[in-house]
Amino acid sequence: MPHPESDSQPPSDSATEQEQLTSLPFPPVTHSHILNCSFHSWQPRYRTFTPKSRALPLTTSFVSYLRADGIVLPPEDIQPTDDDKLDAYSDDSAEEEPDPSTEWKEIHAQVKSTISEFGGIVTPKLNWSAPKDASWMSATNDLQCRTPNDVYLLLKSSDFVTHDLEYPFDGCVADSTDSSSSDASPPEVPYHLVLRKYVNFNPSLEFRCFVRNRVLLCICQRDQNHFDFLFPMRDSLRSRIQAFFDEKLKDTFPDPNFVFDVYLPPPHQRAWLVDINPWAERTDPLLFGWLEILQMKDPIGIQEEDGAEEQFVRLSLNGNNPTILDTGAAGESDSESESEEDLEDEFDDDNPFLPEFRLVKRDDPEAYAFTTPQYSASKLPKEVVEASMTGPGGMSEFLGKWQDILAKQTQESDSDSEGGR
């Protein structure tokens, strides 16, 4: 008679695997790792091969301005025309617009001078994130900023920037050297506004590279569109990125695990470091999945020997004529079975030879998702944005009108249902 399975039976292998998949097997992300990936921390070390940019240390008042609700911009410095002067005389009772920059005049002046110094166009970011999710707020639908107000509008409209301000150490643990307690308070973040000289990057030549234990693990393109010309260049691009990593980043970045973005402009002989990101779930793996990356085996690569292997010679001393019996490497085992086992172990190793370089193929569905706006989850209706720019009173007025519209729609719906009876 078969025995029924009891609840105390040990779980199967498949159940164990499902339990393991509930969380990604990341190593603990420390506070220092997040700070090491901040632009102001790594850019001075790699200044010679990064795009021209300037990091402005931010005051507490400016950080508070970025954190505040609503979008209130400083008045534009525009030379008044004759019509503007007539309007000023006819509307003396109009209230002057508030100027939030009075509390951070130095920052405002530095932003203005940096834009002028960099040719009149810059792209902004905070310590870690650029406001790419707010590019729809810009008149050019990108990150080009020609005035300080363009910069402030993008920063205050971005969820990415808000994450930098409010949750920079989300999911992190304290460094072992900071405190013996695991719940030590996070360190203070020295916030910086990064203004980068605008360069019209070709998005097809930007690549994201994943480094684990100081080994370049895999590479993929950042732009998720298909570019047919990249496929014949894959090997040469991978070789250039590998050489750049080995020479510039491998032994100089403080942490063994990180993600970096690189740009290879034509003729693809020089690489520019665009950004360094944390080895954490918050970093977008793009064409990979984080579980896939974490389970990848290290590429073997080309192993260079430090020197020639020491050789030995066996001589037969019988008689007056010594003869050479055989030659071999020093330390070589006399047992052929051990040599065979070593060879078997070597052939059993299925590690890849080179870092995987993944490109968007022609038949990938992601390559044709043109109808889905990027960062659409971060967008707001135009009316909400306009109301927020008029201050707290504007939002209150908008909410009142919105409630009236909903009440009117409900009333009309009720009347239609009664008329149909």
Side-chain angles (χ1 to χ4, degrees):
M1 179 177 179
H3 298 282
E5 295 181 357
S6 64
D7 295 337
S8 60
Q9 184 176 359
S12 62
D13 294 340
S14 60
T16 305
E17 291 177 359
Q18 290 179 357
E19 290 179 1
Q20 293 176 350
L21 293 178
T22 56
S23 61
L24 292 172
F26 273 102
V29 182
T30 61
H31 296 155
S32 63
H33 177 54
I34 299 299
L35 290 176
N36 289 337
C37 295
S38 175
F39 184 90
H40 81 282
S41 177
W42 60 262
Q43 192 270 346
R45 186 183 299 115
Y46 307 127
R47 186 193 309 271
T48 56
F49 45 89
T50 57
K52 188 175 183 180
S53 55
R54 179 160 300 161
L56 307 178
L58 298 182
T59 60
T60 304
S61 57
F62 187 82
V63 174
S64 299
Y65 165 73
L66 293 180
R67 284 177 167 151
D69 294 333
I71 302 177
V72 181
L73 302 176
E76 294 279 4
D77 296 333
I78 302 176
Q79 294 294 332
T81 61
D82 294 338
D83 294 337
D84 294 333
K85 293 178 181 179
L86 292 175
D87 293 339
Y89 286 119
S90 61
D91 194 12
D92 295 335
S93 61
E95 296 182 1
E96 293 186 2
E97 296 182 0
D99 185 2
S101 65
T102 55
E103 299 181 2
W104 30 272
K105 291 183 178 179
E106 293 183 2
I107 300 295
H108 190 59
Q110 289 176 353
V111 172
K112 190 182 302 184
S113 63
T114 303
I115 293 175
S116 177
E117 180 184 349
F118 284 174
I121 308 178
V122 298
T123 56
K125 67 175 293 183
L126 226 55
N127 294 45
W128 298 277
S129 303
K132 293 182 178 180
D133 58 322
S135 60
W136 59 280
M137 293 286 291
S138 171
T140 55
N141 200 30
D142 55 20
L143 298 185
Q144 295 186 48
C145 295
R146 292 171 170 80
T147 66
N149 279 0
D150 292 342
V151 175
Y152 309 147
L153 179 62
L154 288 177
L155 294 178
K156 288 189 66 66
S157 304
S158 171
D159 289 340
F160 295 170
V161 171
T162 299
H163 186 276
D164 282 6
L165 293 170
E166 304 297 340
Y167 312 104
F169 300 111
D170 192 22
C172 297
V173 299
D175 293 85
S176 58
T177 57
D178 290 346
S179 174
S180 58
S181 176
S182 59
D183 57 350
S185 59
E188 194 73 21
V189 177
Y191 282 106
H192 287 69
L193 171 59
V194 180
L195 298 178
R196 178 175 291 165
K197 183 177 181 179
Y198 175 73
V199 179
N200 188 16
F201 281 174
N202 183 348
S204 64
L205 297 174
E206 282 191 77
F207 304 97
R208 175 152 291 183
C209 312
F210 300 84
V211 179
R212 184 181 62 194
N213 296 327
R214 303 199 182 279
V215 174
L216 183 58
L217 193 63
C218 54
I219 310 166
C220 70
Q221 64 183 80
R222 288 197 63 187
D223 191 286
Q224 298 189 23
N225 291 307
H226 170 73
F227 300 101
D228 197 52
F229 74 94
L230 288 178
F231 287 82
M233 301 168 53
R234 192 201 307 246
D235 291 339
S236 60
L237 293 174
R238 173 166 42 204
S239 177
R240 174 56 55 190
I241 294 173
Q242 180 73 63
F244 172 79
F245 167 72
D246 291 339
E247 180 182 351
K248 305 294 186 182
L249 298 177
K250 181 176 182 178
D251 299 318
T252 58
F253 192 72
D255 298 311
N257 305 328
F258 59 96
V259 181
F260 69 94
D261 297 331
V262 68
Y263 178 64
L264 278 73
H268 319 297
Q269 297 301 314
R270 182 177 182 182
W272 291 91
L273 180 62
V274 177
D275 204 0
I276 296 181
N277 306 284
W279 182 269
E281 191 173 359
R282 68 180 68 182
T283 299
D284 191 347
L286 298 176
L287 302 184
F288 296 98
W290 265 120
L291 182 62
E292 177 187 11
I293 294 174
L294 294 171
Q295 294 178 343
M296 278 185 181
K297 294 188 176 182
D298 291 345
I300 299 173
I302 300 175
Q303 303 294 334
E304 297 182 358
E305 297 181 357
D306 295 336
E309 193 175 20
E310 184 179 354
Q311 300 287 326
F312 68 87
V313 178
R314 291 181 180 176
L315 299 176
S316 174
L317 300 179
N318 295 331
N320 296 328
N321 297 322
T323 58
I324 298 176
L325 297 179
D326 60 357
T327 61
E332 183 180 6
S333 174
D334 294 337
S335 173
E336 294 183 1
S337 60
E338 292 183 4
S339 300
E340 292 176 357
E341 290 178 0
D342 293 340
L343 289 174
E344 289 177 359
D345 292 340
E346 182 177 353
F347 285 117
D348 287 341
D349 191 359
D350 58 351
N351 289 35
F353 186 70
L354 296 172
E356 180 176 353
F357 195 168
R358 189 167 294 181
L359 302 173
V360 177
K361 298 179 182 179
R362 186 186 300 274
D363 56 349
D364 284 344
E366 294 83 357
Y368 302 98
F370 299 113
T371 58
T372 304
Q374 198 173 23
Y375 313 119
S376 57
S378 303
K379 297 185 178 182
L380 295 173
K382 178 182 177 183
E383 292 80 2
V384 176
V385 177
E386 291 177 347
S388 66
M389 295 179 67
T390 59
M395 285 300 296
S396 300
E397 182 181 357
F398 173 78
L399 290 175
K401 291 181 179 179
W402 182 252
Q403 291 175 351
D404 293 341
I405 293 173
L406 292 178
K408 185 177 180 181
Q409 289 180 346
T410 303
Q411 185 178 3
E412 291 177 353
S413 177
D414 294 340
S415 61
D416 291 342
S417 60
E418 291 178 358
R421 292 178 182 175

